[in-house]
Short mmCIF file of all heavy atoms in Angstrom, two decimals:
data_model
loop_
_atom_site.label_atom_id
_atom_site.label_comp_id
_atom_site.label_asym_id
_atom_site.label_seq_id
_atom_site.Cartn_x
_atom_site.Cartn_y
_atom_site.Cartn_z
N VAL J 1 18.98 20.35 1.79
CA VAL J 1 18.13 19.51 2.61
C VAL J 1 18.34 19.77 4.10
O VAL J 1 19.47 19.58 4.53
CB VAL J 1 18.25 18.03 2.28
CG1 VAL J 1 17.27 17.24 3.09
CG2 VAL J 1 18.04 17.70 0.77
N TRP J 2 17.37 20.30 4.80
CA TRP J 2 17.43 20.52 6.24
C TRP J 2 16.71 19.40 6.87
O TRP J 2 15.50 19.40 7.06
CB TRP J 2 16.82 21.92 6.53
CG TRP J 2 16.74 22.44 7.90
CD1 TRP J 2 15.58 22.93 8.48
CD2 TRP J 2 17.77 22.51 8.83
NE1 TRP J 2 15.88 23.39 9.67
CE2 TRP J 2 17.21 23.10 10.06
CE3 TRP J 2 19.10 22.10 8.87
CZ2 TRP J 2 17.90 23.41 11.17
CZ3 TRP J 2 19.78 22.48 10.05
CH2 TRP J 2 19.24 23.07 11.17
N ASN J 3 17.46 18.39 7.37
CA ASN J 3 16.94 17.13 7.86
C ASN J 3 16.89 17.41 9.44
O ASN J 3 17.92 17.40 10.07
CB ASN J 3 17.91 15.96 7.57
CG ASN J 3 17.28 14.63 7.91
OD1 ASN J 3 16.07 14.54 8.26
ND2 ASN J 3 18.13 13.65 7.99
N ILE J 4 15.72 17.51 9.97
CA ILE J 4 15.55 17.91 11.27
C ILE J 4 15.31 16.80 12.33
O ILE J 4 14.69 15.78 12.00
CB ILE J 4 14.42 18.99 11.48
CG1 ILE J 4 13.09 18.42 11.18
CG2 ILE J 4 14.76 20.20 10.51
CD1 ILE J 4 11.91 19.35 11.47
N GLU J 5 15.88 16.98 13.42
CA GLU J 5 15.60 16.09 14.63
C GLU J 5 14.72 16.80 15.59
O GLU J 5 14.69 18.01 15.54
CB GLU J 5 16.92 15.69 15.30
CG GLU J 5 16.76 14.54 16.28
CD GLU J 5 16.11 13.30 15.64
OE1 GLU J 5 14.82 13.24 15.62
OE2 GLU J 5 16.81 12.37 15.13
N TYR J 6 13.97 16.08 16.31
CA TYR J 6 13.03 16.71 17.24
C TYR J 6 12.65 15.66 18.32
O TYR J 6 12.89 14.43 18.13
CB TYR J 6 11.74 17.05 16.47
CG TYR J 6 11.05 15.90 15.79
CD1 TYR J 6 9.96 15.24 16.37
CD2 TYR J 6 11.49 15.57 14.48
CE1 TYR J 6 9.40 14.15 15.64
CE2 TYR J 6 10.87 14.56 13.77
CZ TYR J 6 9.83 13.88 14.39
OH TYR J 6 9.23 12.76 13.73
N ARG J 7 12.15 16.17 19.47
CA ARG J 7 11.74 15.19 20.52
C ARG J 7 10.46 14.54 20.26
O ARG J 7 9.57 15.10 19.58
CB ARG J 7 11.64 16.02 21.83
CG ARG J 7 12.98 16.37 22.40
CD ARG J 7 13.00 17.29 23.60
NE ARG J 7 12.78 18.62 23.19
CZ ARG J 7 12.72 19.69 24.11
NH1 ARG J 7 13.01 19.43 25.32
NH2 ARG J 7 12.61 20.94 23.57
N ARG J 8 10.42 13.16 20.70
CA ARG J 8 9.24 12.32 20.40
C ARG J 8 8.81 11.72 21.70
O ARG J 8 9.30 12.02 22.72
CB ARG J 8 9.74 11.30 19.33
CG ARG J 8 10.27 12.03 18.09
CD ARG J 8 11.08 11.00 17.25
NE ARG J 8 12.18 10.33 17.79
CZ ARG J 8 13.35 10.84 17.95
NH1 ARG J 8 13.60 12.13 17.74
NH2 ARG J 8 14.43 10.10 18.36
N HIS J 9 7.88 10.83 21.62
CA HIS J 9 7.37 10.14 22.80
C HIS J 9 8.65 9.31 23.35
O HIS J 9 9.18 8.49 22.58
CB HIS J 9 6.21 9.16 22.47
CG HIS J 9 5.85 8.32 23.60
ND1 HIS J 9 5.43 8.87 24.84
CD2 HIS J 9 5.74 6.91 23.77
CE1 HIS J 9 5.12 7.85 25.68
NE2 HIS J 9 5.34 6.71 25.01
N GLY J 10 8.86 9.44 24.69
CA GLY J 10 9.93 8.77 25.26
C GLY J 10 11.16 9.56 25.48
O GLY J 10 12.06 9.17 26.25
N ASN J 11 11.34 10.73 24.78
CA ASN J 11 12.48 11.56 25.03
C ASN J 11 12.16 13.04 25.10
O ASN J 11 12.89 13.87 24.66
CB ASN J 11 13.50 11.31 23.94
CG ASN J 11 13.08 11.50 22.50
OD1 ASN J 11 12.05 12.12 22.33
ND2 ASN J 11 13.77 10.90 21.56
N GLY J 12 10.94 13.36 25.63
CA GLY J 12 10.54 14.68 25.91
C GLY J 12 9.58 15.29 24.97
O GLY J 12 9.38 16.55 24.96
N GLY J 13 9.03 14.49 24.08
CA GLY J 13 8.22 15.17 23.03
C GLY J 13 6.71 15.09 23.19
O GLY J 13 5.96 15.32 22.27
N ASP J 14 6.30 14.91 24.47
CA ASP J 14 4.90 14.95 24.71
C ASP J 14 4.28 16.36 24.53
O ASP J 14 5.04 17.27 24.58
CB ASP J 14 4.52 14.42 26.12
CG ASP J 14 4.96 13.10 26.35
OD1 ASP J 14 5.43 12.38 25.42
OD2 ASP J 14 4.83 12.58 27.55
N PHE J 15 3.02 16.46 24.10
CA PHE J 15 2.48 17.69 23.79
C PHE J 15 2.70 18.80 24.78
O PHE J 15 2.63 18.54 25.99
CB PHE J 15 0.91 17.57 23.59
CG PHE J 15 0.24 18.66 22.90
CD1 PHE J 15 0.14 18.74 21.58
CD2 PHE J 15 -0.19 19.77 23.71
CE1 PHE J 15 -0.45 19.87 20.92
CE2 PHE J 15 -0.77 20.88 23.02
CZ PHE J 15 -0.93 20.93 21.69
N PRO J 16 3.13 20.02 24.21
CA PRO J 16 3.16 20.42 22.90
C PRO J 16 4.60 20.37 22.32
O PRO J 16 4.89 20.89 21.21
CB PRO J 16 2.72 21.87 22.97
CG PRO J 16 3.32 22.34 24.32
CD PRO J 16 3.21 21.11 25.28
N GLN J 17 5.53 19.66 23.04
CA GLN J 17 6.89 19.93 22.74
C GLN J 17 7.35 19.45 21.30
O GLN J 17 8.21 20.00 20.65
CB GLN J 17 7.85 19.16 23.72
CG GLN J 17 9.27 19.69 23.74
CD GLN J 17 9.33 21.14 24.03
OE1 GLN J 17 8.91 21.68 25.04
NE2 GLN J 17 9.94 21.91 22.93
N MET J 18 6.82 18.25 20.79
CA MET J 18 7.19 17.77 19.56
C MET J 18 6.83 18.81 18.50
O MET J 18 7.71 19.15 17.58
CB MET J 18 6.36 16.53 19.20
CG MET J 18 6.68 15.96 17.92
SD MET J 18 5.58 14.56 17.34
CE MET J 18 4.06 15.46 17.05
N PHE J 19 5.66 19.45 18.54
CA PHE J 19 5.23 20.44 17.57
C PHE J 19 6.19 21.71 17.69
O PHE J 19 6.62 22.24 16.65
CB PHE J 19 3.80 20.83 17.76
CG PHE J 19 2.86 19.77 17.47
CD1 PHE J 19 2.30 19.00 18.37
CD2 PHE J 19 2.43 19.63 16.07
CE1 PHE J 19 1.41 17.96 18.09
CE2 PHE J 19 1.55 18.60 15.74
CZ PHE J 19 1.03 17.74 16.70
N LEU J 20 6.49 22.09 18.93
CA LEU J 20 7.36 23.29 19.13
C LEU J 20 8.71 23.02 18.57
O LEU J 20 9.32 23.90 18.02
CB LEU J 20 7.42 23.62 20.59
CG LEU J 20 5.99 24.08 21.27
CD1 LEU J 20 6.25 24.31 22.79
CD2 LEU J 20 5.52 25.25 20.66
N ASP J 21 9.21 21.86 18.75
CA ASP J 21 10.56 21.53 18.16
C ASP J 21 10.52 21.57 16.66
O ASP J 21 11.43 22.18 16.04
CB ASP J 21 10.91 20.06 18.64
CG ASP J 21 11.55 20.05 20.03
OD1 ASP J 21 11.50 21.07 20.75
OD2 ASP J 21 12.03 18.93 20.44
N VAL J 22 9.59 20.97 16.07
CA VAL J 22 9.50 20.98 14.56
C VAL J 22 9.33 22.34 14.01
O VAL J 22 9.99 22.74 13.02
CB VAL J 22 8.37 20.01 14.09
CG1 VAL J 22 8.19 20.11 12.57
CG2 VAL J 22 8.71 18.48 14.51
N GLY J 23 8.51 23.10 14.62
CA GLY J 23 8.26 24.52 14.21
C GLY J 23 9.55 25.34 14.41
O GLY J 23 9.96 26.11 13.43
N ALA J 24 10.21 25.17 15.53
CA ALA J 24 11.45 25.94 15.76
C ALA J 24 12.51 25.51 14.82
O ALA J 24 13.29 26.37 14.36
CB ALA J 24 11.82 25.70 17.21
N ALA J 25 12.65 24.29 14.49
CA ALA J 25 13.65 23.79 13.49
C ALA J 25 13.40 24.35 12.11
O ALA J 25 14.32 24.82 11.50
CB ALA J 25 13.57 22.31 13.42
N ALA J 26 12.18 24.45 11.72
CA ALA J 26 11.90 25.07 10.38
C ALA J 26 12.23 26.56 10.46
O ALA J 26 12.84 27.10 9.50
CB ALA J 26 10.38 24.81 10.08
N ASP J 27 11.77 27.20 11.51
CA ASP J 27 12.02 28.68 11.61
C ASP J 27 13.54 29.03 11.75
O ASP J 27 13.88 30.18 11.41
CB ASP J 27 11.28 29.23 12.77
CG ASP J 27 9.77 29.15 12.53
OD1 ASP J 27 9.36 29.03 11.36
OD2 ASP J 27 9.05 29.25 13.53
N HIS J 28 14.34 27.97 12.20
CA HIS J 28 15.77 28.24 12.39
C HIS J 28 16.54 28.55 10.92
O HIS J 28 17.58 29.01 10.91
CB HIS J 28 16.45 27.09 13.03
CG HIS J 28 17.80 27.40 13.47
ND1 HIS J 28 18.10 28.28 14.59
CD2 HIS J 28 19.06 26.96 13.04
CE1 HIS J 28 19.36 28.39 14.76
NE2 HIS J 28 19.97 27.62 13.84
N LEU J 29 15.77 28.15 9.89
CA LEU J 29 16.38 28.39 8.53
C LEU J 29 16.66 29.87 8.39
O LEU J 29 17.65 30.25 7.67
CB LEU J 29 15.40 27.98 7.52
CG LEU J 29 15.19 26.50 7.24
CD1 LEU J 29 14.05 26.26 6.26
CD2 LEU J 29 16.47 25.91 6.73
N ARG J 30 15.91 30.76 9.08
CA ARG J 30 16.18 32.16 8.93
C ARG J 30 17.61 32.51 9.43
O ARG J 30 18.25 33.43 9.04
CB ARG J 30 15.14 32.98 9.74
CG ARG J 30 13.83 33.03 9.04
CD ARG J 30 12.95 34.14 9.63
NE ARG J 30 11.62 34.17 9.12
CZ ARG J 30 10.58 33.65 9.72
NH1 ARG J 30 10.69 33.15 10.94
NH2 ARG J 30 9.40 33.82 9.21
N GLN J 31 18.07 31.73 10.46
CA GLN J 31 19.32 32.02 11.08
C GLN J 31 20.52 31.57 10.27
O GLN J 31 21.65 32.05 10.44
CB GLN J 31 19.36 31.36 12.48
CG GLN J 31 18.20 31.58 13.41
CD GLN J 31 18.08 33.16 13.68
OE1 GLN J 31 19.06 33.84 13.98
NE2 GLN J 31 16.87 33.66 13.63
N ILE J 32 20.33 30.67 9.42
CA ILE J 32 21.42 30.11 8.59
C ILE J 32 21.35 30.36 7.08
O ILE J 32 22.18 29.99 6.37
CB ILE J 32 21.51 28.54 8.83
CG1 ILE J 32 20.21 27.88 8.35
CG2 ILE J 32 21.72 28.23 10.33
CD1 ILE J 32 20.30 26.31 8.47
N ALA J 33 20.24 31.05 6.66
CA ALA J 33 20.01 31.26 5.21
C ALA J 33 21.12 31.96 4.60
O ALA J 33 21.60 31.68 3.48
CB ALA J 33 18.59 31.83 5.08
N ASP J 34 21.44 33.06 5.14
CA ASP J 34 22.48 33.98 4.54
C ASP J 34 23.79 33.24 4.39
O ASP J 34 24.49 33.26 3.38
CB ASP J 34 22.66 35.27 5.30
CG ASP J 34 21.44 36.20 5.09
OD1 ASP J 34 20.66 35.96 4.18
OD2 ASP J 34 21.31 37.15 5.86
N ALA J 35 24.21 32.60 5.51
CA ALA J 35 25.55 31.98 5.43
C ALA J 35 25.59 30.77 4.47
O ALA J 35 26.68 30.46 4.04
CB ALA J 35 25.89 31.47 6.93
N GLN J 36 24.47 30.13 4.29
CA GLN J 36 24.47 28.95 3.47
C GLN J 36 23.82 29.16 2.08
O GLN J 36 23.53 28.25 1.33
CB GLN J 36 23.83 27.79 4.18
CG GLN J 36 24.58 27.43 5.48
CD GLN J 36 25.91 26.97 5.15
OE1 GLN J 36 26.34 26.61 4.04
NE2 GLN J 36 26.80 27.04 6.26
N ASN J 37 23.47 30.40 1.75
CA ASN J 37 22.84 30.81 0.48
C ASN J 37 21.52 30.03 0.27
O ASN J 37 21.42 29.46 -0.92
CB ASN J 37 23.80 30.56 -0.63
CG ASN J 37 25.01 31.50 -0.66
OD1 ASN J 37 24.82 32.75 -0.65
ND2 ASN J 37 26.15 31.00 -0.47
N LEU J 38 20.63 30.00 1.21
CA LEU J 38 19.40 29.28 1.04
C LEU J 38 18.34 30.35 0.54
O LEU J 38 18.27 31.39 1.02
CB LEU J 38 18.95 28.73 2.40
CG LEU J 38 19.93 27.86 3.16
CD1 LEU J 38 19.39 27.35 4.43
CD2 LEU J 38 20.41 26.73 2.31
N ASP J 39 17.48 29.79 -0.30
CA ASP J 39 16.39 30.66 -0.83
C ASP J 39 15.14 30.28 -0.12
O ASP J 39 14.41 29.27 -0.35
CB ASP J 39 16.22 30.27 -2.34
CG ASP J 39 15.22 31.30 -3.09
OD1 ASP J 39 14.53 31.96 -2.32
OD2 ASP J 39 15.11 31.27 -4.30
N LEU J 40 14.81 31.14 0.83
CA LEU J 40 13.59 31.00 1.71
C LEU J 40 12.32 31.30 1.07
O LEU J 40 11.26 31.10 1.57
CB LEU J 40 13.76 31.69 3.01
CG LEU J 40 14.96 31.28 3.89
CD1 LEU J 40 14.79 31.86 5.28
CD2 LEU J 40 15.08 29.76 3.92
N ASP J 41 12.38 31.72 -0.22
CA ASP J 41 11.19 31.89 -1.06
C ASP J 41 10.78 30.63 -1.68
O ASP J 41 9.78 30.47 -2.37
CB ASP J 41 11.32 32.95 -2.07
CG ASP J 41 11.29 34.31 -1.46
OD1 ASP J 41 10.60 34.54 -0.47
OD2 ASP J 41 12.05 35.19 -1.94
N LYS J 42 11.68 29.57 -1.56
CA LYS J 42 11.38 28.26 -2.22
C LYS J 42 11.65 27.17 -1.24
O LYS J 42 12.52 26.33 -1.41
CB LYS J 42 12.31 28.17 -3.38
CG LYS J 42 12.08 29.18 -4.48
CD LYS J 42 13.11 29.08 -5.67
CE LYS J 42 12.81 30.16 -6.66
NZ LYS J 42 13.86 30.07 -7.71
N VAL J 43 10.73 27.09 -0.19
CA VAL J 43 10.87 26.10 0.83
C VAL J 43 9.76 25.12 0.62
O VAL J 43 8.59 25.47 0.47
CB VAL J 43 10.79 26.71 2.25
CG1 VAL J 43 10.77 25.65 3.34
CG2 VAL J 43 11.95 27.69 2.44
#
């Protein structure tokens, strides 16, 4: 489980930042997949 934090209204998450944060967090799985044996074909 990759439980992500992201910016929201009141702490920097006004458009487009909230979406950019969430997308970047999901894409960061590529950086940690090998070290943590994550199957990115089953996300």
Side-chain angles (χ1 to χ4, degrees):
V1 185
W2 179 228
N3 188 16
I4 65 171
E5 192 55 275
Y6 57 96
R7 284 173 282 186
R8 309 167 296 285
H9 174 57
N11 56 19
D14 297 355
F15 192 89
Q17 196 58 61
M18 179 188 74
F19 292 96
L20 296 178
D21 279 7
V22 171
D27 293 340
H28 194 72
L29 286 172
R30 290 196 182 102
Q31 307 301 315
I32 63 177
D34 288 345
Q36 300 299 341
N37 292 303
L38 307 179
D39 188 346
L40 297 193
D41 289 327
K42 298 176 181 177
V43 175

